[in-house]
Amino acid sequence: QVQLVESGGGLVQAGDSLRLSCATSGRTFSSYSMGWFRQAPGLEREFVAGISRTGGNTYYAASVKGRFTISRDNAKNTVYLQMNSLKPGDTAVYYCAAAPLYCAGIGCYSAGQYDYWGQGTQVTVSS
């Protein structure tokens, strides 16, 4: 059983930056590929960013590429999402998720590939 706890969300102005953190339990953090998803009211949950088990491969949704950066610190059992140049369209609840899969190369873009999810953290970007 894996537990994930997100933090770092908040209310910011367009153009500002935020860094989200996701702390995970257990000593097998490095066995999981990690991802960030987001969901706005009335919309489907969508993929944002993913990272392989060792952090050697990262990949992003086209809408955030160049603005967001995913990273992980396996010593701290934590994955991060650095969000720069935020836009009102980035407003959503952001979730981190863990997948017991090798997601390097083609990557893991589907929510169904992730077995464990955090509670979510709200990000609101005003214009």
Side-chain angles (χ1 to χ4, degrees), residues 4 12 18 24 27 46 72 89 116-117:
L4 305 90
V12 298
L18 282 174
T24 65
R27 297 186 294 174
E46 65 174 343
R72 67 190 297 162
Y116 303 100
W117 296 81

Side-chain angles (χ1 to χ4, degrees), residues 18-90:
L18 282 174
R19 188 180 73 167
L20 306 183
S21 298
C22 177
T24 65
S25 65
R27 297 186 294 174
T28 59
F29 176 67
S30 62
S31 297
Y32 292 87
S33 297
M34 300 294 296
W36 286 95
F37 291 75
R38 67 187 183 186
Q39 187 168 22
L43 300 179
E44 293 185 348
R45 188 168 300 187
E46 65 174 343
F47 170 81
V48 176
I51 189 167
S52 61
R53 287 179 284 185
T54 62
N57 294 86
T58 60
Y59 46 99
Y60 303 88
S63 59
V64 307
K65 191 172 185 179
R67 299 188 297 120
F68 291 10
T69 303
I70 187 172
S71 62
R72 67 190 297 162
D73 186 339
N74 287 354
K76 296 182 178 180
N77 292 345
T78 302
V79 62
Y80 305 94
L81 185 67
Q82 177 67 45
M83 305 185 295
N84 297 329
S85 301
L86 283 162
K87 305 175 180 179
D90 297 319

